[in-house]
Amino acid sequence: MDRLDHLEHLDKHLVDELAQVARETIRDELREQTRKQRRTAMLYAASGATALYAGAAVALALGLALAIGLPDWAAALITAVILAAVAYALRSAAHPAGARPTPGRAAESAAERDRAHGGTAPAGPSGGLGDAPVPPMPTAPPGTSGGPGTAGSDGIDPDPHHRA
């Protein structure tokens, strides 16, 4: 019996040692990954800053080139409009194609919001789903035959509190 107690102690010691080694290995691996990611992030940041300065230099060169034949204010205005158009094109390219609202989608989403908040169904066709009318909302739940105080088809009174 004494020998088994000694083995249990060794097992516990082995498990503790393995857990410690695993923790240290994981910690070292995470440190290494963090170093690599930090270096990559710094390189991206430096690249972005350099690209920003390069874009400013190109805009300045464009403005100076336009200023040769135009007044300075007109050259600056044309440069600003060109930069705004490029920014708008890049912004449009960044959005996915499905996220752009179209008139049909805008009307459809407005109709869905109205129905969800108790409004009425749209009068026109709904987004190319055909001209099928929207069925009316029933006044009583399924399985009941009338208003309050009357028993349903199964003989159970759906609203027993209003009985005199």
Side-chain angles (χ1 to χ4, degrees):
M1 202 61 155
D2 192 27
R3 187 175 177 149
L4 290 176
D5 289 338
H6 180 69
L7 288 177
E8 285 181 17
H9 175 70
L10 287 177
D11 287 346
K12 182 171 175 20
H13 179 69
L14 183 62
V15 167
D16 289 343
E17 191 174 328
L18 284 173
Q20 181 67 25
V21 168
R23 271 190 234 113
E24 288 174 2
T25 305
I26 291 172
R27 197 173 293 140
D28 290 342
E29 183 66 29
L30 288 174
R31 249 189 230 122
E32 185 64 29
Q33 287 179 3
T34 303
R35 279 190 199 114
K36 287 179 184 177
Q37 289 174 350
R38 190 178 302 140
R39 182 177 184 274
T40 302
M42 287 178 58
L43 289 174
Y44 272 119
S47 171
T50 306
L52 180 68
Y53 283 115
V58 168
L60 179 64
L62 177 66
L64 291 174
L66 288 173
I68 292 173
L70 296 171
D72 291 343
W73 65 269
L77 185 64
I78 290 171
T79 303
V81 168
I82 291 171
L83 287 174
V86 169
Y88 182 77
L90 290 172
R91 181 184 156 270
S92 297
H95 289 292
R100 293 189 185 130
T102 60
R105 281 196 199 135
E108 198 173 285
S109 65
E112 287 175 11
R113 276 195 309 269
D114 286 345
R115 274 187 289 228
H117 294 292
T120 59
S126 59
L129 295 176
D131 293 330
V134 178
M137 187 73 147
T139 57
T144 59
S145 61
T150 60
S153 61
D154 55 359
I156 299 173
D157 190 1
D159 200 4
H161 300 298
H162 295 301
R163 205 182 283 189

